[in-house]
């Protein structure tokens, strides 16, 4: 079994508002825009990178990177840098291939960024092929599942006022949802008001501050969340401030959650050794499956649970995240994005089931999903 073709598809799909209820919209003709107070670029489309690996026996493996802006960039890396090392390779040798692929640009400082996105998509596709070759789901290849269904929480209440958030929270609670994460970072007083409005619905509430605060304000917010019994505080400080997160984690009872910006075990090791996080959040669309499992073992050695991050990725990376989440022992919960979920299924020949409370574990060989190639080519 040898790889004979590698194809990369930058995907851009229209759908509901990609992230959150926000008044800021892109200027006419602008492809990307910033949503203050957050610093990151956003797109008003669902953008991702899908990779297809085809073997000489016709078997196809699918992968996906979390590439919410400019997926053409990691696509070019797949085509120009990774494809030569993949053609003719045995896809079932996933870990040796990971060592080869990560080594291609490692000494030049490219274990992160767009290179990591491209690597993640290819790695997921390799695991899909390996599972299909063995006739086993990916979670079985990872050593077996600790759970038959993956518990989830609802990420985001995409409305603009606290009254609307409270109403939406009550609607989710009526559907059996017990936990929700608010995307905030709009100021300590505003964040606490939003928290209180949603917590009144009886839900367990976490706060994602989107890296918006300095240490002083993060401490003010965190101490108030301690008083309220908050679930966790995610991404409170700028992502490079390991020491600030360490100080914050030491000062608060509310767990500090970090991980979506970290791409490999070496980065996570620095945070874990510093005790700068209490809940690790790797995103398989940014790490790949191979590295996600290494991160999980490293976190376990530090007695830190892993709650995989899942953002606006589509159906392939969602399936990969579920396999990884099932195979991690200390895995309390997986992130569910209600808005992107219908769009995620649009590229699949058979939609994934599940949602706000839990996902059933995929049981078919490989990732257990297949991609509608016509839908990809139409969006690329």
């Amino acid at each position: 079994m040898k790889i004979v073709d590698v194809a990369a598809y930058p995907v851009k799909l229209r759908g509901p508002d990609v992230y959150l209820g926000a008044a800021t919209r892109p200027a006419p003709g602008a492809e990307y825009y910033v949503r203050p107070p957050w610093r990151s670029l956003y797109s008003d489309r669902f953008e991702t990178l899908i990779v297809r690996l085809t073997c000489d026996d016709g078997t196809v493996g699918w992968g996906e990177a979390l590439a919410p802006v400019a997926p053409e960039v990691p696509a070019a890396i797949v085509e120009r840098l990774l494809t030569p090392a993949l053609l003719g390779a045995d896809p079932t040798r996933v870990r040796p291939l990971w060592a080869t692929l990560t080594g291609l640009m490692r000494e030049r400082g490219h274990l992160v960024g767009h290179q990591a996105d491209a690597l993640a998509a290819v790695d997921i596709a390799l695991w899909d092929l390996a599972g299909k070759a063995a006739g086993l789901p990916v979670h079985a290849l990872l050593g077996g599942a600790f759970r038959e269904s993956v518990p989830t929480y609802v990420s985001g209440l995409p409305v603009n006022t606290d009254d609307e958030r409270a109403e939406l929270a009550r609607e989710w609670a009526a559907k059996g949802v017990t936990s929700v994460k608010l995307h905030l970072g709009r100021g300590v007083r505003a964040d606490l008001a939003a928290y209180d409005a949603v917590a009144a619905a009886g839900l367990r509430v976490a706060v994602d501050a989107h890296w918006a605060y300095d240490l002083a304000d993060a401490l003010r917010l965190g101490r108030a969340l301690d008083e309220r019994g908050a679930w966790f505080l995610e991404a409170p400080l700028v992502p490079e401030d390991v020491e600030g997160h360490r100080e914050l984690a030491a000062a608060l009872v509310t767990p500090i959650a970090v991980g979506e910006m970290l791409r490999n075990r070496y980065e996570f090791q620095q945070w874990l050794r510093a005790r700068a996080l209490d809940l690790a959040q790797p995103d398989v669309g940014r790490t790949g499956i191979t590295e996600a499992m290494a991160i999980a073992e490293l976190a376990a050695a530090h007695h830190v649970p892993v709650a995989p991050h899942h953002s606006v990725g589509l159906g392939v990376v969602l399936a990969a995240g579920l396999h990884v989440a099932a195979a991690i022992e200390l895995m309390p919960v997986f992130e569910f994005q209600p808005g992107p979920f219908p769009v995620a299924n649009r590229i699949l020949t058979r939609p994934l089931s599940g949602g706000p409370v839990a996902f059933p574990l995929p049981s078919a060989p490989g990732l257990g999903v297949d991609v509608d190639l016509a839908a990809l080519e139409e969006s690329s």
Side-chain angles (χ1 to χ4, degrees):
M1 191 176 184
K2 303 294 182 184
I3 298 171
V4 296
D5 185 65
V6 180
Y9 300 90
V11 176
K12 302 187 179 191
L13 294 174
R14 295 288 179 185
D17 191 7
V18 173
Y19 256 115
L20 313 163
T24 306
R25 306 304 304 169
E31 191 170 2
Y32 304 118
Y33 63 106
V34 174
R35 288 178 165 178
W38 308 325
R39 303 176 181 91
S40 296
L41 282 176
Y42 291 88
S43 172
D44 63 351
R45 292 170 293 180
F46 290 84
E47 302 196 12
T48 194
L49 171 66
I50 301 292
V51 167
R52 182 188 66 185
L53 303 181
T54 305
C55 292
D56 52 2
D57 65 353
T59 306
V60 171
W62 294 100
E64 181 182 354
L66 179 58
V69 295
E72 301 90 345
V73 179
I77 293 171
V78 171
E79 293 168 349
R80 298 287 299 275
L81 303 182
L82 305 185
T83 293
L86 288 166
L87 292 176
D90 177 355
T92 65
R93 300 178 66 252
V94 180
R95 292 187 65 190
L97 277 171
W98 179 254
T100 296
L101 294 170
T102 55
L104 295 176
M105 296 290 284
R106 184 175 185 174
E107 68 183 52
R108 299 181 178 112
H110 294 295
L111 278 180
V112 296
H114 293 298
Q115 185 85 9
D117 297 338
L119 290 165
V122 168
D123 182 69
I124 291 168
L126 288 169
W127 280 104
D128 189 29
L129 281 172
K132 289 173 179 175
L136 294 170
V138 166
H139 60 77
L141 297 187
L142 297 176
F146 285 93
R147 53 198 62 85
E148 294 184 358
S149 67
V150 177
T152 60
Y153 67 92
V154 168
S155 183
L157 299 176
V159 289
N160 290 312
T161 70
D162 289 342
D163 286 344
E164 291 173 313
R165 291 186 185 99
E167 177 60 29
L168 191 51
R170 287 189 290 269
E171 292 175 10
W172 280 121
K175 296 176 182 177
V177 170
T178 61
S179 306
V180 66
K181 181 172 76 180
L182 300 178
H183 295 268
L184 298 174
R186 296 181 170 92
V188 173
R189 184 174 298 176
D191 284 3
L192 292 174
Y195 179 99
D196 290 341
V198 172
L203 296 175
R204 181 172 60 168
V205 181
V207 171
D208 185 345
H210 284 260
W211 321 104
Y213 290 114
D214 60 20
L215 182 57
D217 278 343
L219 282 166
R220 288 178 56 218
L221 175 63
R223 286 168 179 155
L225 292 176
D226 281 352
E227 295 174 358
R228 289 161 167 80
W231 184 20
F232 61 81
L233 173 59
E234 179 176 335
L237 308 173
V238 290
E240 63 274 12
D241 190 0
V242 180
E243 179 61 23
H245 282 89
R246 185 200 66 77
E247 291 184 36
L248 192 62
L252 300 180
V253 174
T254 302
I256 299 301
V258 169
E260 66 180 279
M261 80 298 189
L262 304 175
R263 306 307 188 92
N264 55 61
R265 71 196 80 175
Y266 313 111
E267 292 182 315
F268 270 95
Q269 182 180 45
Q270 180 185 11
W271 285 75
L272 289 162
R273 281 183 171 175
R275 296 197 174 275
L277 58 84
D278 304 298
L279 183 65
Q281 296 176 306
D283 192 308
V284 70
R286 288 176 169 158
T287 65
I289 292 173
T290 300
E291 200 65 15
M293 295 306 297
I295 290 163
E297 291 301 315
L298 187 63
H302 289 80
H303 308 286
V304 171
V306 175
H309 179 269
H310 179 74
S311 184
V312 293
L314 301 185
V316 176
V317 77
L318 174 56
L322 294 174
H323 284 277
V324 167
I328 297 172
E329 182 179 6
L330 297 176
M331 199 298 301
V333 71
F334 184 83
E335 186 170 7
F336 172 68
Q337 295 274 358
F341 184 52
V343 184
N345 274 329
R346 273 166 46 188
I347 67 163
L348 302 179
T349 58
R350 180 180 299 175
L352 288 164
S353 61
V357 177
F359 276 97
L361 188 58
S363 58
L367 295 175
V369 295
D370 282 305
V371 172
D372 182 348
L373 189 56
L376 281 193
E377 292 175 338
E378 186 176 316
S379 65
S380 298

